[in-house]
Structures are given as C-alpha cells and as structure tokens.
Amino acid sequence: MRTHEFQPGRLIAGLVLMAAGALYLLGAAGEADPPWFLVLLMTLGGLSFAAVVGLVTYAVRRDRRDRITESSER
C-alpha cells in the first residue's frame, strides 16, 4: 500500500462529523436531548475550523515546495 500525505483538515472534519452523528444517534435513542442548534453550530464550526487548517496546511506545503525548488535551481 502506498503512503499518502497526512491531511489534518480532513481528519478534523471527520472527527467533528462523527461527533455530530453520535450526538444525533444519542438523541434518537433517547439517551441525550441535545438542542438541534447545538449540533448544527458544532458541525458548522468544526467544518470551518477544518477548512482553515486545510488552507494553512496547503500554504505551508506550498512554501516548503517553493523553497526546495529555489535551492535546487542555485
């Protein structure tokens, strides 16, 4: 199996959506009664945070790649 790049934005998005799904399932089973807007805000906030982390990761990798190409051109 080939290795792939670690993508922290996707990890955060997956964890947030799993947590929101777990809250929804607990609410459907009657174990918990979370307000609907809490799950919505948690999902939107988590996805926004994942997008910011993904953009920062992309910027860091692009900068690192540019530095490597500059040093190899010299």
Side-chain angles (χ1 to χ4, degrees):
M1 180 179 192
R2 290 181 10 178
T3 59
H4 56 84
E5 289 181 333
F6 176 63
Q7 297 179 343
R10 288 186 181 190
L11 175 67
I12 292 170
L15 291 175
V16 166
L17 290 176
M18 281 180 26
L23 275 176
Y24 180 77
L25 286 175
L26 284 174
E31 298 294 323
D33 191 22
W36 64 270
F37 60 88
L38 174 72
V39 178
L40 181 67
L41 288 176
M42 184 179 78
T43 303
L44 291 175
L47 290 177
S48 299
F49 180 62
V52 169
V53 169
L55 288 172
V56 168
T57 304
Y58 174 74
V60 167
R61 287 185 178 155
R62 186 182 64 190
D63 183 50
R64 191 175 296 163
R65 185 178 61 233
D66 291 345
R67 286 184 185 180
I68 290 171
T69 56
E70 285 178 5
S71 65
S72 65
E73 289 175 357
R74 289 183 184 176

